[in-house]
Amino acid sequence: MGTASFLKRAQALLRIQNQLARECLAELLAVFVLILITLGGSAQMVTSSGTKGNIFTAYLAGALAVMVSVYTAGGVSGAHLNPAFSLTMCLLGQFPWWKFPIFVAVQTSAAFISAGAVYVLYYDAIQHYSNGTLTASGPRETASIFATYPADYLSLSSGFLDQVMGTALLIVGILAIMDTRNKGVPKGLEPVAVALLVLSIEISMGSNCGCPLNPARDFGPRLFTYVAGWGVEVFRGKGARWGVAGVAPCPPCPVPSRGNGWWWVPVVAPLLGAAVGSALYQLLVAFHHPTEEDDPPAEQNSLDLVNTASRLDAKTSPVEKDAGGTLPQKK
Amino acid sequence: MGTASFLKRAQALLRIQNQLARECLAELLAVFVLILITLGGSAQMVTSSGTKGNIFTAYLAGALAVMVSVYTAGGVSGAHLNPAFSLTMCLLGQFPWWKFPIFVAVQTSAAFISAGAVYVLYYDAIQHYSNGTLTASGPRETASIFATYPADYLSLSSGFLDQVMGTALLIVGILAIMDTRNKGVPKGLEPVAVALLVLSIEISMGSNCGCPLNPARDFGPRLFTYVAGWGVEVFRGKGARWGVAGVAPCPPCPVPSRGNGWWWVPVVAPLLGAAVGSALYQLLVAFHHPTEEDDPPAEQNSLDLVNTASRLDAKTSPVEKDAGGTLPQKK
Amino acid sequence: MGTASFLKRAQALLRIQNQLARECLAELLAVFVLILITLGGSAQMVTSSGTKGNIFTAYLAGALAVMVSVYTAGGVSGAHLNPAFSLTMCLLGQFPWWKFPIFVAVQTSAAFISAGAVYVLYYDAIQHYSNGTLTASGPRETASIFATYPADYLSLSSGFLDQVMGTALLIVGILAIMDTRNKGVPKGLEPVAVALLVLSIEISMGSNCGCPLNPARDFGPRLFTYVAGWGVEVFRGKGARWGVAGVAPCPPCPVPSRGNGWWWVPVVAPLLGAAVGSALYQLLVAFHHPTEEDDPPAEQNSLDLVNTASRLDAKTSPVEKDAGGTLPQKK
Amino acid sequence: MGTASFLKRAQALLRIQNQLARECLAELLAVFVLILITLGGSAQMVTSSGTKGNIFTAYLAGALAVMVSVYTAGGVSGAHLNPAFSLTMCLLGQFPWWKFPIFVAVQTSAAFISAGAVYVLYYDAIQHYSNGTLTASGPRETASIFATYPADYLSLSSGFLDQVMGTALLIVGILAIMDTRNKGVPKGLEPVAVALLVLSIEISMGSNCGCPLNPARDFGPRLFTYVAGWGVEVFRGKGARWGVAGVAPCPPCPVPSRGNGWWWVPVVAPLLGAAVGSALYQLLVAFHHPTEEDDPPAEQNSLDLVNTASRLDAKTSPVEKDAGGTLPQKK
């Protein structure tokens, strides 16, 4: 009937054939979904004062958000979702460097927009919970729905280390899950395995500073809260939720600095963690995979990703072969 | 022995070959199962005062109910379960418009009947918990076991937006999970992936108004409670559970209307959300899938569903080819 | 080295080739594992007063126990685990009637033995928790670790209905999961899908009477508690945990009988529920599957099980072909 | 670009071709990840006083840690992770005895190192929670983050039995999951099934003594706590957390000994449990699998593992054929 022909005409009119544009649109939608579910899980816990959600449902929302997002864009853009993962792909020669800033911009913008959507969705709830005052500290603070803040005992250096270790573990896990020469996950179930990996990190490394692991996930929503009225406090982040600025809540603790200028830690540390994680997995596992004749050609890259994005790239964007240099890729 | 020949005779006698009748029977059973588990999870939490269930088990019941239901009828009727999903299939040219009202009627009737089964199953528990008085407000209200009611801070417009956004996310996720040209889920595991998707929405968008997402799931049981003795209050739904009608429970809140005439919101908003979600996925992802020669024929539809229902339809009901018009379907 | 030749000699010596004996051994181990994990989950919750387990971990243990058990024996005996499921297989002509009492005996004995193992495992914990007094009522009762008891508001007839409905839902779900002509689960993942099904029933129908669903799971451990010192009260089960025998804990409740002689309900009702569930799935779904030429031979049975047990049976036990009568089975 | 050629040069320089060295590196990384997530889950629960984690998230972390670890090294070293599992493989002729002590050393060292990483990661949190005093007893003890300690009611003999039974169940479950002649798990999903198995044991046998099940997981971190300042108390373990040494916390309990010298129990008992579990599965299931002509060659080993490690071994290390003696292995 008319439905099908309407769809065909709409597709003919609106279809985008440019590979990069397609990838950016898909990545935009995927990160929007990721942040919507992740922040939604926090908002549900916080604004209902724990009656409609708890710390476990909030973590689980963050993990399942990854699953839904990877299904949303995995076959188009690779669903990087995270500048730290895009960096890993670049470092391993699986993603061209010139695309890196573009993806980072898309990811961060999508996170900003999605934070706005969460604010609209939970507008009544946030007004009700906070009595209409948007703050980043005090018992009714709501800034932590959007961005992460460190526990009051945490020094900046420990927080930085936390994010390096957490992201390194995330990258080791993802590389292992995608490495078909290792144990391997059945095609199409990588998103579920990665979601369980994220959950495992959240419940084992989430109490120090809320487990951002992703510069875009943290900075985009933080910027939104600054713009939307929480004020500059969201960047200082000192004493957020856990005490008044300048007054140590636990005097005997050996804590030199309590989150002063915290905002850059979840931006920088995950990128460093991604490099550490990539290096660890290459040095301890991937470099040493056998390259006998019964295996794929010996010249091939050390990491053999089950990643539709790189397959699509190889097929349609000659620039990347340049980028890949002497690296023979599967086609 | 006798068992097998008895079965054969019974099958010969009772077998229905009409495609639509088969689909309606399977859809009826699937929605019955969906509502039985979903409302059962609520009833267990409410009537045990939280000792045998909590908010997480109630959400999980709703998610696993979807999984069980899709396995129950997925290979016969496609297990739409939800008028919003049937609408999506119509909008994408995957389901004939003339079947839409039939499926909606079946889904809503099954939800009504199943609500009755839950009432019978939990009759003693509800009598015990409510001291025999069936109400939709007050500390011992039991109407929220069956239908959803908004939080007291929620304005009607925010509730409407909540359901549009939630259902749009549901539809984006389902279309992505079923889209074999995207990441793809292994055949036979779509029900598990969709259940996890539903869980992610419940725990990130469930606190405003209980995450109905499905007109049949909400209206069928609401109608049952009206008939079964909860009275007309279930349609007005104002002040249900959270306060006495007409008295604002939180005076300083900027809430213009607290759920007056709530009942139509979970009926209308999910249908609009389904349209929004379909459009989003088509415009940002599905329209732009490549159609090179190494891919299936270029004339094919923008969305390639792994949906047994549509396959079966194509095989046995010529009417739908008419309905599909110029749309070449796989056979 | 010696290890391998030792293993070969041991296998040569101990190997059992009789099909029925193999099945019984595997079923014995599987039910032992099922009950060990199921009751262990209860014991952990009860004896730690909720500090090491809660209602969700106890339900989850019951569900995962099914998964582990089906992996343990699914390829040998079919891992029925439950007289209600064995009955279903008989009713559908997939399991010979003469084996039914044998499997029921093995299942019940394994449950009895396993209850003993749980008692030994948690001996110190039970002594500590109960101050050394084994009772089936009162605040420190421990009988409900082993068998199920009804909530104090529950009438016998409601409890009976609860078990018929719960088991019918279980059987509908299992038949759907195993039905390759419906949606279908990937081979080897049926145990996970069935475990999620069981979890969904436990969290939506578990508060009335603890969701036994399985005569062997309930009666074997109940018999053990009788023998081990809890006394005849475990059969009467009246007022267990929720009040002193003969005194109604909630006078205004319209409850005619509070679990007097409860023990036979979880024995009889699940068998009836299995028949109801089988009939429902056959009448609403399985009877109507298409039998065109592009499908397997038209004479075949209405239900096409992905069940290794039946395949093995067909291969090695001619008796069952007799039992199967005119039913052509796949080989 | 430079990235790919840099990677190739790095790989050429650093590549290790020795099979044993490759396996040890992968096993090292896998056990590091296992312990990082497992202990991290405990640390999060303990140091946040339950606000960022609870008993369920801690158990779940232990289970998901197994999944992540098996993906990390499963295709290289087989991801034994546990001396008890390495012993099982030896007993079944699937792993050479001479490698056993090497793997045990690697596993224990990795656990020790990883405990150190957890200490660094949670340094601020532990200092804050314990007020700077590292103890193995009292209300603010932190030793139980790293190693397991028995409940105060538990006698040594009951604790020993608990670990024998728990590990036997673990081994039965793993052997069943890996046994392709039984029900079978789809290739690549064994890690998920094993994680669910571990979770089922933790929530049904975790309250007596914390469910170590793994000598390396328990002894490595315990040694670390001794070195790092918790003192010799961690080996005595008497009265840890649950009472002052030498004073019975519950006088009427029939408990002869409360964890005196507990440390050796989680080292020895799991090894015995592994032997018991292997014997049980062989005697009740694996020995009796049919060996007809339609099955693989009759001389083959009783257990047919889906284990990449053994496949790789057979391919590259002739020593193991010696070790395997008369056992014809698949190549």
Side-chain angles (χ1 to χ4, degrees):
Chain A
M1 236 222 288
T3 310
S5 57
F6 171 78
L7 274 174
K8 278 182 68 176
R9 249 177 259 141
Q11 185 175 10
L13 196 68
L14 298 168
R15 180 133 186 262
I16 294 167
Q17 304 214 23
N18 178 276
Q19 173 69 12
L20 181 61
R22 287 179 57 215
E23 290 181 8
C24 288
L25 284 180
E27 191 79 11
L28 187 84
L29 181 60
V31 176
F32 184 87
V33 165
L34 174 78
I35 301 301
L36 188 59
I37 300 177
T38 303
L39 304 191
S42 288
Q44 182 155 339
M45 171 181 66
V46 170
T47 62
S48 75
S49 301
T51 60
K52 301 284 179 179
N54 51 44
I55 193 74
F56 179 64
T57 63
Y59 288 140
L60 189 61
L64 293 176
V66 173
M67 185 200 81
V68 177
S69 307
V70 180
Y71 280 126
T72 301
V76 179
S77 70
H80 290 191
L81 307 176
N82 184 343
F85 185 68
S86 292
L87 179 64
T88 299
M89 291 292 94
C90 288
L91 289 172
L92 296 176
Q94 303 284 333
F95 191 67
W97 284 101
W98 66 266
K99 275 192 184 175
F100 179 66
I102 300 171
F103 261 50
V104 171
V106 169
Q107 290 157 353
T108 309
S109 312
F112 181 91
I113 298 167
S114 191
V118 172
Y119 184 47
V120 171
L121 182 64
Y122 279 99
Y123 182 82
D124 290 0
I126 289 173
Q127 293 293 326
H128 177 73
Y129 175 77
S130 67
N131 291 319
T133 313
L134 305 177
T135 59
S137 58
R140 293 268 154 181
E141 65 84 21
T142 44
S144 69
I145 290 172
F146 296 87
T148 63
Y149 294 89
D152 63 349
Y153 58 72
L154 199 75
S155 66
L156 262 190
S157 53
S158 293
F160 193 88
L161 181 70
D162 178 283
Q163 280 308 290
V164 171
M165 285 179 68
T167 314
L169 176 55
L170 176 70
I171 296 299
V172 165
I174 294 176
L175 293 181
I177 285 168
M178 295 192 319
D179 183 357
T180 53
R181 310 182 83 189
N182 201 328
K183 190 74 192 172
V185 176
K187 187 171 157 15
L189 287 181
E190 303 92 345
V192 177
V194 172
L196 293 174
L197 168 67
V198 170
L199 183 60
S200 78
I201 300 174
E202 289 177 316
I203 60 180
S204 67
M205 301 190 185
S207 57
N208 278 337
C209 55
C211 215
L213 302 177
N214 180 337
R217 173 256 178 275
D218 202 71
F219 187 72
R222 194 184 301 275
L223 196 62
F224 174 80
T225 50
Y226 171 67
V227 170
W230 274 265
V232 76
E233 197 186 1
V234 300
F235 288 108
R236 286 206 306 269
K238 70 173 165 185
R241 168 163 259 172
W242 304 278
V244 178
V247 180
C250 59
C253 296
V255 180
S257 141
R258 298 189 339 285
N260 293 299
W262 167 255
W263 71 271
W264 61 272
V265 174
V267 172
V268 178
L271 296 173
L272 182 56
V276 171
S278 305
L280 269 177
Y281 190 72
Q282 297 302 104
L283 292 175
L284 293 176
V285 177
F287 272 177
H288 319 305
H289 282 318
T291 52
E292 273 75 40
E293 269 56 45
D294 55 313
D295 282 310
E299 310 87 345
Q300 91 170 69
N301 192 22
S302 58
L303 186 74
D304 187 4
L305 294 177
V306 192
N307 195 303
T308 318
S310 62
R311 265 191 289 125
L312 289 174
D313 285 349
K315 201 190 301 165
T316 58
S317 53
V319 182
E320 287 189 43
K321 280 187 206 149
D322 254 15
T326 59
L327 169 78
Q329 295 191 343
K330 276 190 187 160
K331 282 166 202 182
Chain B
M1 234 225 287
T3 310
S5 57
F6 171 78
L7 275 173
K8 279 182 66 176
R9 250 177 259 141
Q11 186 176 9
L13 197 67
L14 298 168
R15 181 133 186 261
I16 293 166
Q17 304 214 25
N18 177 277
Q19 172 69 10
L20 180 62
R22 286 179 58 216
E23 289 181 9
C24 289
L25 283 180
E27 191 78 11
L28 187 85
L29 181 61
V31 176
F32 183 87
V33 164
L34 174 78
I35 301 300
L36 189 59
I37 300 178
T38 303
L39 304 191
S42 289
Q44 181 154 338
M45 171 182 65
V46 170
T47 63
S48 75
S49 301
T51 59
K52 303 283 178 180
N54 51 45
I55 193 75
F56 179 65
T57 63
Y59 287 140
L60 189 61
L64 293 176
V66 173
M67 185 200 81
V68 176
S69 306
V70 180
Y71 281 126
T72 301
V76 179
S77 69
H80 290 190
L81 308 175
N82 185 345
F85 185 68
S86 293
L87 178 64
T88 299
M89 292 291 96
C90 289
L91 288 172
L92 296 176
Q94 302 284 333
F95 191 68
W97 284 100
W98 65 265
K99 275 192 184 177
F100 178 66
I102 301 172
F103 261 50
V104 172
V106 169
Q107 290 157 354
T108 310
S109 312
F112 181 91
I113 298 168
S114 192
V118 172
Y119 185 46
V120 171
L121 182 65
Y122 278 98
Y123 182 82
D124 289 1
I126 289 173
Q127 293 292 325
H128 177 73
Y129 175 77
S130 66
N131 292 320
T133 312
L134 305 177
T135 60
S137 58
R140 293 269 153 181
E141 65 84 21
T142 44
S144 69
I145 291 172
F146 296 87
T148 62
Y149 295 90
D152 64 348
Y153 58 73
L154 200 74
S155 67
L156 261 190
S157 53
S158 294
F160 193 88
L161 181 71
D162 177 283
Q163 280 308 289
V164 171
M165 284 178 70
T167 314
L169 176 55
L170 176 71
I171 295 300
V172 165
I174 294 177
L175 293 181
I177 285 169
M178 295 192 320
D179 183 356
T180 54
R181 310 182 84 188
N182 201 328
K183 190 75 190 171
V185 176
K187 187 171 156 17
L189 288 181
E190 303 92 345
V192 177
V194 173
L196 293 174
L197 168 66
V198 170
L199 183 60
S200 78
I201 300 174
E202 290 177 315
I203 59 180
S204 66
M205 301 192 185
S207 56
N208 277 339
C209 55
C211 214
L213 302 177
N214 180 338
R217 173 257 178 275
D218 201 72
F219 187 72
R222 193 182 304 273
L223 196 62
F224 173 79
T225 51
Y226 171 67
V227 171
W230 274 264
V232 76
E233 198 186 0
V234 301
F235 288 108
R236 287 204 306 268
K238 68 173 163 185
R241 168 164 262 176
W242 305 276
V244 180
V247 180
C250 59
C253 296
V255 180
S257 141
R258 299 191 335 287
N260 293 299
W262 168 255
W263 71 270
W264 61 272
V265 174
V267 172
V268 177
L271 296 172
L272 182 56
V276 171
S278 305
L280 269 177
Y281 190 73
Q282 296 302 103
L283 291 175
L284 293 176
V285 178
F287 272 178
H288 318 305
H289 282 317
T291 52
E292 274 75 41
E293 269 57 45
D294 55 315
D295 282 308
E299 310 88 346
Q300 92 170 67
N301 191 22
S302 59
L303 186 74
D304 187 5
L305 295 176
V306 192
N307 195 305
T308 318
S310 62
R311 267 191 288 125
L312 289 173
D313 285 349
K315 201 191 300 164
T316 58
S317 53
V319 181
E320 289 190 39
K321 279 185 208 151
D322 254 13
T326 59
L327 169 78
Q329 294 192 344
K330 274 190 187 157
K331 281 168 201 172
Chain C
M1 235 224 289
T3 310
S5 58
F6 171 78
L7 274 174
K8 279 182 65 175
R9 250 177 258 141
Q11 184 177 11
L13 198 67
L14 298 168
R15 178 134 188 262
I16 293 167
Q17 305 213 22
N18 179 278
Q19 172 70 9
L20 180 61
R22 285 180 58 215
E23 290 181 8
C24 288
L25 283 180
E27 190 79 10
L28 188 84
L29 181 60
V31 176
F32 184 86
V33 165
L34 173 78
I35 301 300
L36 188 59
I37 299 176
T38 304
L39 305 191
S42 289
Q44 182 155 337
M45 170 181 65
V46 170
T47 63
S48 75
S49 301
T51 60
K52 303 282 178 179
N54 50 45
I55 194 73
F56 179 65
T57 63
Y59 287 141
L60 188 61
L64 293 176
V66 173
M67 184 200 80
V68 177
S69 305
V70 180
Y71 280 126
T72 301
V76 180
S77 70
H80 291 191
L81 306 175
N82 184 344
F85 184 67
S86 293
L87 178 65
T88 299
M89 292 292 96
C90 289
L91 289 172
L92 296 176
Q94 302 284 332
F95 191 67
W97 284 102
W98 65 265
K99 274 192 184 176
F100 178 66
I102 301 172
F103 261 50
V104 171
V106 168
Q107 289 157 354
T108 310
S109 311
F112 181 91
I113 298 168
S114 190
V118 172
Y119 185 46
V120 171
L121 182 65
Y122 278 97
Y123 183 82
D124 289 1
I126 289 172
Q127 294 293 324
H128 177 73
Y129 175 78
S130 67
N131 292 319
T133 312
L134 306 176
T135 60
S137 58
R140 293 267 153 183
E141 66 83 21
T142 44
S144 68
I145 292 172
F146 297 88
T148 62
Y149 294 89
D152 65 348
Y153 58 72
L154 199 75
S155 67
L156 262 189
S157 52
S158 294
F160 193 89
L161 181 70
D162 177 282
Q163 280 307 291
V164 171
M165 284 178 69
T167 314
L169 176 55
L170 176 71
I171 295 299
V172 164
I174 295 177
L175 293 181
I177 285 169
M178 294 192 320
D179 183 356
T180 53
R181 310 182 83 188
N182 201 327
K183 190 75 190 169
V185 177
K187 187 170 156 14
L189 287 181
E190 303 92 344
V192 177
V194 173
L196 292 175
L197 168 66
V198 170
L199 183 59
S200 77
I201 301 175
E202 289 177 316
I203 60 180
S204 66
M205 301 192 185
S207 57
N208 277 337
C209 56
C211 214
L213 302 177
N214 179 339
R217 173 258 178 275
D218 201 73
F219 186 73
R222 194 183 301 274
L223 196 63
F224 173 80
T225 52
Y226 171 67
V227 170
W230 273 265
V232 76
E233 199 187 358
V234 301
F235 288 108
R236 287 205 305 268
K238 70 172 163 185
R241 169 165 259 175
W242 303 277
V244 179
V247 181
C250 59
C253 299
V255 180
S257 142
R258 298 189 338 284
N260 294 299
W262 168 255
W263 71 270
W264 62 271
V265 174
V267 172
V268 177
L271 296 172
L272 183 57
V276 171
S278 306
L280 269 177
Y281 190 73
Q282 297 303 104
L283 292 175
L284 294 177
V285 178
F287 272 178
H288 318 305
H289 282 318
T291 52
E292 274 75 43
E293 269 58 42
D294 56 314
D295 281 310
E299 311 88 345
Q300 91 171 68
N301 193 21
S302 58
L303 186 73
D304 187 4
L305 294 176
V306 192
N307 193 305
T308 318
S310 62
R311 266 190 289 125
L312 289 174
D313 284 349
K315 201 190 303 167
T316 58
S317 53
V319 182
E320 289 190 43
K321 282 187 204 148
D322 253 14
T326 58
L327 170 76
Q329 294 191 345
K330 275 189 188 161
K331 280 169 202 176
Chain D
M1 234 222 291
T3 310
S5 57
F6 171 77
L7 274 174
K8 278 181 68 176
R9 250 177 258 142
Q11 184 176 11
L13 197 68
L14 298 168
R15 180 134 187 262
I16 293 167
Q17 305 214 23
N18 177 279
Q19 172 69 11
L20 180 61
R22 286 179 57 215
E23 289 181 8
C24 288
L25 284 179
E27 191 79 11
L28 188 84
L29 181 60
V31 176
F32 184 87
V33 165
L34 174 78
I35 301 301
L36 188 60
I37 300 177
T38 304
L39 305 190
S42 288
Q44 182 155 338
M45 170 181 66
V46 170
T47 62
S48 75
S49 301
T51 59
K52 302 283 178 178
N54 50 45
I55 194 73
F56 179 64
T57 63
Y59 287 141
L60 189 61
L64 293 176
V66 173
M67 185 200 80
V68 177
S69 306
V70 180
Y71 280 126
T72 301
V76 180
S77 70
H80 289 191
L81 306 176
N82 184 343
F85 185 67
S86 293
L87 179 65
T88 298
M89 292 292 96
C90 289
L91 289 172
L92 296 176
Q94 303 283 335
F95 191 67
W97 283 101
W98 66 265
K99 275 192 184 175
F100 178 65
I102 300 171
F103 261 51
V104 171
V106 169
Q107 290 157 352
T108 310
S109 311
F112 182 90
I113 297 167
S114 191
V118 172
Y119 185 46
V120 172
L121 182 65
Y122 279 98
Y123 183 82
D124 290 0
I126 289 173
Q127 293 292 326
H128 177 73
Y129 175 77
S130 67
N131 291 320
T133 313
L134 306 177
T135 60
S137 58
R140 292 268 153 181
E141 66 84 21
T142 44
S144 70
I145 290 172
F146 296 87
T148 63
Y149 294 90
D152 64 347
Y153 58 72
L154 198 75
S155 67
L156 262 188
S157 53
S158 294
F160 193 89
L161 182 70
D162 177 282
Q163 280 308 290
V164 171
M165 284 178 69
T167 314
L169 176 55
L170 176 71
I171 296 299
V172 165
I174 294 177
L175 293 180
I177 285 169
M178 295 192 319
D179 183 357
T180 53
R181 311 182 82 189
N182 201 327
K183 189 75 189 172
V185 177
K187 186 169 158 17
L189 288 181
E190 304 92 344
V192 177
V194 172
L196 293 174
L197 167 67
V198 169
L199 183 59
S200 78
I201 300 175
E202 290 178 316
I203 59 180
S204 67
M205 300 192 184
S207 58
N208 278 337
C209 56
C211 215
L213 301 177
N214 180 338
R217 173 257 177 274
D218 201 71
F219 187 71
R222 194 183 301 275
L223 196 62
F224 174 80
T225 50
Y226 170 66
V227 170
W230 274 265
V232 76
E233 199 186 359
V234 300
F235 288 108
R236 287 206 304 268
K238 70 173 164 186
R241 168 163 259 175
W242 304 278
V244 178
V247 180
C250 60
C253 297
V255 180
S257 142
R258 297 187 341 281
N260 293 299
W262 168 255
W263 71 271
W264 61 272
V265 174
V267 172
V268 177
L271 296 172
L272 182 56
V276 170
S278 306
L280 269 177
Y281 190 72
Q282 297 302 103
L283 291 174
L284 294 176
V285 177
F287 272 178
H288 319 305
H289 282 318
T291 52
E292 275 76 40
E293 270 57 43
D294 55 315
D295 281 309
E299 312 86 345
Q300 92 171 68
N301 193 21
S302 58
L303 186 73
D304 187 4
L305 296 178
V306 192
N307 193 304
T308 319
S310 61
R311 264 190 289 125
L312 289 174
D313 284 351
K315 201 191 301 167
T316 57
S317 53
V319 182
E320 288 190 42
K321 281 187 204 150
D322 253 15
T326 58
L327 170 75
Q329 294 190 345
K330 275 188 188 163
K331 279 168 207 181

